[in-house]
Amino acid sequence: MTSSTKTPFTTLPAHRDAVLRVMPMPADANIHGDVFGGWIMSQVDIAGSIPAARRAAGRVATVAVNAFQFKEPVFVGDLLSFYTSIIKTGTTSITVSVEVYAERQRLDAEVVKVTEATLTYVATDEARRSRPLPTL
């Protein structure tokens, strides 16, 4: 990650609502204050499951992490906003794009895209077997 690849914003995406907003705490970071990638991945999975469960009208399970890119570090005290969109559906599956932005409250407020990911979920029944998505 270099400063030449950093994409600073002044505000969060106005045309979308965040499905999840969370602030990492010291327990989520290493001794230098950088938040663990695994913690971010778990939050991305939670955020992605929200529109997937809504579309499936019930239980879903994560079946694939198709792509995951850490664009910038995340620090303790950043306010993370997770934006999602369903990009594909199949008979039983839902593929979701997740973008994560950090609001950094340093001397000047700054918004930075920190993570992008694509995950696939499958709708499951009470026995945790795949089931068809309901028709829209």
Side-chain angles (χ1 to χ4, degrees):
M1 288 178 283
T2 64
S3 60
S4 64
T5 61
K6 186 175 182 180
T7 309
F9 300 90
T10 55
T11 60
L12 296 168
H15 62 285
R16 297 173 15 193
D17 291 324
V19 298
L20 180 67
R21 297 188 83 190
V22 65
M23 184 175 289
M25 296 292 156
D28 306 317
N30 63 26
I31 62 170
H32 304 291
D34 299 328
V35 174
F36 293 118
W39 182 86
I40 297 166
M41 292 178 85
S42 70
Q43 301 303 307
V44 165
D45 191 24
I46 291 167
S49 72
I50 294 169
R54 286 181 181 154
R55 174 60 185 88
R59 181 190 307 263
V60 295
T62 309
V63 294
V65 176
N66 308 85
F68 209 104
Q69 183 179 16
F70 296 105
K71 301 176 90 44
E72 294 289 332
V74 173
F75 306 109
V76 170
D78 285 351
L79 178 59
L80 302 181
S81 298
F82 296 74
Y83 295 86
T84 62
S85 58
I86 294 174
I87 57 174
K88 181 181 171 187
T89 58
T91 303
T92 63
S93 65
I94 305 128
T95 302
V96 179
S97 171
V98 181
E99 295 179 327
V100 185
Y101 292 83
E103 292 178 73
R104 304 195 195 278
Q105 300 300 321
R106 308 289 191 260
L107 293 176
D108 294 319
E110 176 185 33
V111 177
V112 179
K113 183 190 264 188
V114 293
T115 304
E116 293 178 336
T118 306
L119 301 94
T120 301
Y121 301 86
V122 67
T124 60
D125 61 19
E126 292 302 316
R128 292 174 174 79
R129 294 206 168 101
S130 64
R131 66 172 170 82
L133 296 175
T135 55
L136 292 177

